[in-house]
Amino acid sequence: MAVDAWKLSVKRTTEIFDSLSDESLYNEVSPGRNTGVYLLGHLVAITDRMMPLLGFGDAKYPELFEPFVSESEKKGEPTPLISDLKAYWSVVNERLDQKLDELRSEQFFDRHTSVSEEDFQKEPHRNRLNVIINRTNHMEYHRGQLIFLKDK
Amino acid sequence: MAVDAWKLSVKRTTEIFDSLSDESLYNEVSPGRNTGVYLLGHLVAITDRMMPLLGFGDAKYPELFEPFVSESEKKGEPTPLISDLKAYWSVVNERLDQKLDELRSEQFFDRHTSVSEEDFQKEPHRNRLNVIINRTNHMEYHRGQLIFLKDK
């Protein structure tokens, strides 16, 4: 169910990105707030980082983490092309989906890689499923903002 | 974990409501979009409706459903007092929390009340846990919008 909720959120977010022109994506979602292109890069970088976090392999675009997650948006600075970011968005979601589909039910309760074996004994909820639940909520939070770019 | 995510989302959303003056809550979250007070009423009504949906009892403020969920916002029309809506927000969350805390693990996998016994046989994921996951995502979606009222 948590994986279904994740996939539904990806689907709905992708529909927003697909419905927006490049020009709309350069707009701020609300005056003085992040642009659509920053949030696109942000969601690509967060989803990409889920690969190592879930023990699925390396991130594919680790260079996006610093400008789109560690740092807040610097307006007016050059960003990757929107067409590239949209392609990355497909790639990171396909890579993750493939791994999620391969996982057996009980493997969702294994620890994620940013918690030590020792801490995991004390906090068994710090598992893969918890990462998926939290990242879905994170995506919905930003989807509620991206929707404001429609009809702009 | 899904219940923890729900409670965290309620906590974070409550922090936003508590940090905003009544005046801020009357603002639109973004130009031409819903006001904070509408979203407050909307989240009260949705959370209240979870009681009958989860088989926990009656909604306490069913009269809020029509103006805050069925109908989109009519700007300029009178709304309940913000102090009342904030009090209702506490009440609906306390009522729900109490019931969630009483539930045994396996009872989260019982059907919710808007699916028939027959359909539930075919679609066993239409259970209480699924309602909680989806309502958490719904709240995060609107929390991403409410945050824009800060520093306004």
Side-chain angles (χ1 to χ4, degrees):
Chain A
M1 285 181 292
V3 173
D4 284 347
W6 165 260
K7 289 184 180 182
L8 181 62
S9 186
V10 170
K11 181 169 172 275
R12 289 173 168 170
T13 305
T14 304
E15 281 167 3
I16 297 179
F17 288 140
D18 287 349
S19 72
L20 295 171
S21 64
D22 288 9
E23 205 173 291
S24 305
L25 278 167
Y26 281 117
N27 284 328
E28 295 172 335
V29 294
S30 190
R33 308 291 173 170
N34 288 134
T35 62
V37 63
Y38 179 85
L39 290 179
L40 170 56
H42 180 67
L43 291 173
V44 169
I46 291 288
T47 302
D48 197 27
R49 177 62 67 103
M50 287 170 73
M51 293 293 286
L53 189 56
L54 295 170
F56 290 164
D58 290 336
K60 183 137 179 150
Y61 312 107
E63 70 280 8
L64 297 180
F65 200 83
E66 194 179 320
F68 288 107
V69 181
S70 308
E71 294 178 10
S72 55
E73 182 165 13
K74 295 189 184 63
K75 304 263 166 78
E77 291 210 356
T79 56
L81 288 174
I82 286 180
S83 55
D84 285 343
L85 285 175
K86 282 187 169 178
Y88 302 164
W89 174 247
S90 294
V91 170
V92 296
N93 281 302
E94 277 165 26
R95 291 181 87 217
L96 185 64
D97 267 11
Q98 196 188 339
K99 290 291 183 180
L100 290 175
D101 291 343
E102 286 170 15
L103 226 54
R104 296 188 309 277
S105 300
E106 69 272 20
Q107 293 178 310
F108 283 98
F109 296 92
D110 293 342
R111 72 180 169 97
H112 60 69
T113 61
S114 75
V115 58
S116 69
E117 192 63 67
E118 193 184 350
D119 287 346
F120 185 60
Q121 297 297 329
K122 288 175 271 179
E123 301 169 290
H125 64 278
R126 298 178 69 179
N127 55 30
R128 286 184 173 126
L129 195 56
N130 210 24
V131 170
I132 294 164
I133 291 171
N134 290 335
R135 291 305 178 279
T136 306
N137 291 335
H138 173 260
M139 184 150 49
E140 286 298 296
Y141 179 94
H142 289 304
R143 193 170 69 83
Q145 302 172 338
L146 286 163
I147 198 78
F148 290 159
L149 291 174
K150 288 191 126 181
D151 314 315
K152 249 195 184 168
Chain B
M1 286 182 290
V3 173
D4 284 348
W6 165 259
K7 289 184 178 181
L8 182 62
S9 185
V10 171
K11 182 170 172 275
R12 288 173 168 170
T13 305
T14 304
E15 280 166 3
I16 297 179
F17 289 140
D18 287 349
S19 72
L20 295 171
S21 64
D22 288 9
E23 205 174 290
S24 305
L25 278 167
Y26 281 117
N27 284 329
E28 294 173 336
V29 294
S30 191
R33 307 293 173 167
N34 288 134
T35 61
V37 63
Y38 180 87
L39 290 179
L40 170 56
H42 180 67
L43 291 174
V44 168
I46 291 287
T47 302
D48 197 28
R49 177 63 65 104
M50 286 170 72
M51 293 293 288
L53 189 55
L54 294 170
F56 289 163
D58 289 336
K60 182 136 179 153
Y61 311 109
E63 70 279 9
L64 297 181
F65 200 82
E66 194 178 320
F68 288 107
V69 181
S70 307
E71 293 179 11
S72 55
E73 182 165 13
K74 295 190 183 62
K75 303 263 166 78
E77 292 210 356
T79 56
L81 287 175
I82 287 180
S83 55
D84 286 342
L85 285 176
K86 282 186 170 180
Y88 302 163
W89 174 246
S90 294
V91 171
V92 295
N93 282 302
E94 277 165 27
R95 291 181 86 216
L96 186 64
D97 267 11
Q98 197 188 339
K99 290 291 183 181
L100 290 175
D101 292 343
E102 286 170 13
L103 226 55
R104 295 188 310 276
S105 300
E106 69 271 20
Q107 293 178 308
F108 284 96
F109 296 93
D110 293 341
R111 72 182 169 98
H112 59 69
T113 62
S114 76
V115 57
S116 69
E117 192 64 66
E118 192 185 349
D119 287 346
F120 185 59
Q121 297 297 329
K122 287 175 271 178
E123 301 170 291
H125 64 279
R126 299 178 70 179
N127 55 32
R128 287 185 172 124
L129 196 56
N130 210 24
V131 169
I132 294 163
I133 292 171
N134 290 335
R135 291 305 178 279
T136 306
N137 291 336
H138 173 260
M139 185 151 48
E140 287 297 297
Y141 178 94
H142 289 304
R143 193 170 68 83
Q145 302 172 337
L146 286 164
I147 199 77
F148 290 160
L149 291 174
K150 288 191 127 184
D151 314 314
K152 253 197 182 166

